């Protein structure tokens, strides 16, 4: 079953790259990595934090602390260290950066690590050929294990990169970008977060058909939309054949 993931990764890649909103957001981030200017690191990190909601802006002095770390390297230096990390993900400069804590809380206490934000920074620095660390990745990996697509094993902060790097090769996906597309899209659909996958008109055409009380939490709204799409996607003309195929795959997973 693991070999099937290559097909679904291609499908996820095609779906996301035909989505104007997803592509537009990505191109904005890619553009700021194409040139250097004053406050380059600050600008890059701020934009990524904004689009990916990594919440670093809520930590006091967090972004500044990361900037201070990254400024000790050139882009070329970091690319060399990234290549070393992909071969040995349990040591080296990138590994050490993932272990550091950045920012403080209002009581002046040290905050948390910044693995998610840093991994996304490295992802864009090397044109998508770096594994992104986030909760969606872990959720999707566990789902694939529970449904027989991967050998059942736990994935956590400690072994995440080792597992994802291994999955890239064992699944014959051979592209971190496409692997991230696969895990990201599975996670989004599983959680019922569909807005990034649609334009305004498409999203509203669905919400108009869902029976909301107006008192639902944000999470409950997502779940109601997910349930409606799960029961109706095959007959909805707003979904392409590729989208229906991928939805069928995700909804077949024992969530």
């Amino acid at each position: 079953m693991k070999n099937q993931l290559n097909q679904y990764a291609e499908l996820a890649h095609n779906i996301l790259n035909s989505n104007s909103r997803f592509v537009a957001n990505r191109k904005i981030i890619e553009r700021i990595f194409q040139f250097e200017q004053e406050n380059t690191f600050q600008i890059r990190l701020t934009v990524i934090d904004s689009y990916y909601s990594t919440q670093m802006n809520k930590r006091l002095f967090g972004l500044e602390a990361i900037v201070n770390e990254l400024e000790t390297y050139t882009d070329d230096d970091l690319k060399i260290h990234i290549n070393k990390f992909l071969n040995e993900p349990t040591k080296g400069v990138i590994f050490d950066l993932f272990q550091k804590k950045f920012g403080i809380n209002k009581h002046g206490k040290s905050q948390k690590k910044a693995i998610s934000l840093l991994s996304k920074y490295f992802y864009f620095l090397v044109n998508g050929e770096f594994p992104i660390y986030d909760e969606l990745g872990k959720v999707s990996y566990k789902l694939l294990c529970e449904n027989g697509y991967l050998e059942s094993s736990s994935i956590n902060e400690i072994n995440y990169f080792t597992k994802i790097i291994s999955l890239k090769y064992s699944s014959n996906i051979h592209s971190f970008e496409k692997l991230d597309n696969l895990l990201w899209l599975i996670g989004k659909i599983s959680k019922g977060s569909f807005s990034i996958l649609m334009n305004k008109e498409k999203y509203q055409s669905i919400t108009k058909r869902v029976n909301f009380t107006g008192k639902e939490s944000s999470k409950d709204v997502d779940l109601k939309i997910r349930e409606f799409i799960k029961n109706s996607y095959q007959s909805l003309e707003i979904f392409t054949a590729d989208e229906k195929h991928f939805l069928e795959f995700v909804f077949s997973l024992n969530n």
Side-chain angles (χ1 to χ4, degrees):
M1 294 179 73
K2 186 181 292 185
N3 290 334
Q4 296 179 31
L5 295 181
N6 185 21
Q7 302 170 20
Y8 291 120
E10 291 290 341
L11 201 58
H13 182 72
N14 292 339
I15 291 169
L16 292 176
N17 281 278
S18 65
N19 181 288
S20 58
R21 185 180 173 201
F22 178 89
V23 173
N25 291 351
R26 180 182 174 118
K27 284 184 175 179
I28 290 172
I29 300 175
E30 287 177 338
R31 185 173 177 81
I32 64 172
F33 274 82
Q34 293 174 356
F35 54 87
E36 292 189 17
Q37 58 183 4
E38 187 177 358
N39 299 321
T40 292
F41 295 100
Q42 184 84 32
I43 294 170
R44 290 175 177 176
L45 288 165
T46 301
V47 172
I48 293 173
D49 185 51
S50 173
Y51 276 103
Y52 280 91
S53 301
T54 54
Q55 308 297 316
M56 182 56 63
N57 61 352
K58 294 186 178 181
R59 303 187 200 177
L60 299 180
F61 312 109
L63 279 175
E64 295 94 322
I66 299 178
V67 169
N68 290 337
E69 286 286 344
L70 295 181
E71 280 182 336
T72 62
Y73 306 96
T74 66
D75 282 353
D76 288 338
D77 290 336
L78 285 173
K79 289 176 183 178
I80 291 172
H81 291 303
I82 284 170
N83 285 331
K84 292 180 179 179
F85 177 82
L86 294 177
N87 289 314
E88 297 183 274
T90 57
K91 63 181 182 179
V93 168
I94 303 301
F95 175 81
D96 291 341
L97 285 170
F98 285 150
Q99 305 313 304
K100 291 180 179 291
K101 294 182 178 180
F102 297 96
I104 58 175
N105 61 23
K106 290 185 177 181
H107 298 285
K109 302 296 182 180
S110 180
Q111 279 284 61
K112 304 175 183 177
K113 299 174 185 178
I115 304 175
S116 180
L117 178 55
L118 283 169
S119 70
K120 293 173 175 67
Y121 185 95
F122 300 144
Y123 175 91
F124 284 102
L125 184 63
V126 292
N127 299 314
E129 286 311 309
F130 190 88
I132 285 179
Y133 176 93
D134 60 18
E135 288 303 314
L136 289 180
K138 288 191 281 188
V139 166
S140 299
Y141 189 95
K142 290 176 182 177
L143 265 179
L144 293 173
C145 286
E146 291 167 0
N147 287 272
Y149 286 90
L150 302 175
E151 293 181 10
S152 182
S153 60
S154 62
I155 186 168
N156 51 47
E157 178 186 304
I158 297 172
N159 66 14
Y160 183 90
F161 290 102
T162 300
K163 294 282 188 183
I164 297 300
I165 292 169
S166 175
L167 175 57
K168 173 191 172 185
Y169 295 106
S170 64
S171 62
N172 291 317
I173 293 175
H174 298 310
S175 165
F176 283 119
E177 178 186 351
K178 291 180 181 180
L179 178 54
D180 176 67
N181 291 162
L182 172 68
L183 297 177
W184 190 84
L185 195 52
I186 291 173
K188 281 290 186 180
I189 294 172
S190 297
K191 288 184 171 293
S193 181
F194 288 89
S195 62
I196 188 63
L197 308 178
M198 307 175 185
N199 59 28
K200 178 183 176 182
E201 290 72 24
K202 190 171 181 178
Y203 184 76
Q204 286 184 318
S205 73
I206 290 176
T207 56
K208 288 177 181 177
R209 308 183 199 193
V210 180
N211 185 25
F212 295 119
T213 65
K215 298 179 180 180
E216 296 92 349
S217 66
S218 177
K219 182 178 179 180
D220 287 337
V221 169
D222 287 343
L223 292 177
K224 279 196 170 184
I225 291 174
R226 181 187 187 280
E227 194 63 22
F228 170 78
I229 292 176
K230 182 178 180 180
N231 294 327
S232 311
Y233 72 94
Q234 289 285 15
S235 62
L236 294 176
E237 295 182 357
I238 60 174
F239 292 116
T240 66
D242 279 353
E243 289 171 337
K244 288 181 179 181
H245 189 186
F246 198 85
L247 286 169
E248 181 180 13
F249 162 60
V250 177
F251 290 140
S252 73
L253 300 176
N254 182 19
N255 193 355

